[in-house]
Amino acid sequence: MRVNSVLFWILTVFFVVVAAIYGFWTVIDTGHLEWVGTIAIALSGILSGFIAFYLDRVFAAQGGDLPEDRLDANIDDGDAELGFFSPWSWWPIMLGGALALFMLGLAVGFWISFIAVGILAISIVGWVYEYYRGLFAR
């Protein structure tokens, strides 16, 4: 994480320097400042500065390097419990297909979205209640 932050700070300095050089060069070449390119390069520097600042704050908040960031860490160092997932469940695939159909309906024809909402409702109910029916009922 620290390496990424340093790389983005270097990228920030690069974009700021290039924006200054580009602005100076266009004034020498054409006699006036070319605003679009200069502002675009400067805003790229600002964006990379935002990302670098965010990465610095995350690194400070997590208290240093995580196990997955260290080269000497074992696999068992960072294997905390992430939650319970059903490896045999087909409902997330059905839910993703319904959401894709809904977005297709918004893009192509709104009437498709009505079909997708029905499939979406069935998928959500099936996913929520999959442990209350069948072989895996509690």
Side-chain angles (χ1 to χ4, degrees):
M1 178 85 57
R2 175 60 73 188
V3 173
N4 293 338
S5 172
V6 171
L7 289 176
F8 271 104
W9 282 122
I10 292 170
L11 192 63
T12 301
V13 171
F14 170 76
F15 277 128
V16 169
V17 169
V18 168
I21 292 171
Y22 182 79
F24 182 70
W25 195 334
T26 57
V27 168
I28 290 175
D29 188 41
T30 63
H32 63 281
L33 183 64
E34 199 273 314
W35 287 102
V36 176
T38 307
I39 291 175
I41 297 170
L43 287 177
S44 297
I46 291 170
L47 176 66
S48 62
F50 283 157
I51 295 171
F53 176 74
Y54 171 76
L55 290 175
D56 276 342
R57 296 297 301 153
V58 168
F59 183 78
Q62 72 188 9
D65 286 329
L66 293 176
E68 55 264 21
D69 295 330
R70 293 192 335 245
L71 294 176
D72 63 338
N74 294 326
I75 293 174
D76 295 337
D77 291 341
D79 63 349
E81 182 68 34
L82 296 177
F84 177 73
F85 302 99
S86 301
W88 57 82
S89 180
W90 288 88
W91 291 112
I93 297 171
M94 183 100 168
L95 190 64
L99 287 172
L101 190 65
F102 182 76
M103 288 298 158
L104 178 74
L106 291 179
V108 176
F110 195 69
W111 61 273
I112 299 174
S113 296
F114 293 119
I115 298 169
V117 166
I119 298 171
L120 189 68
I122 293 169
S123 300
I124 289 174
V125 169
W127 198 15
V128 168
Y129 290 110
E130 76 178 325
Y131 284 106
Y132 295 98
R133 305 189 58 201
L135 298 173
F136 304 107
R138 295 184 205 178

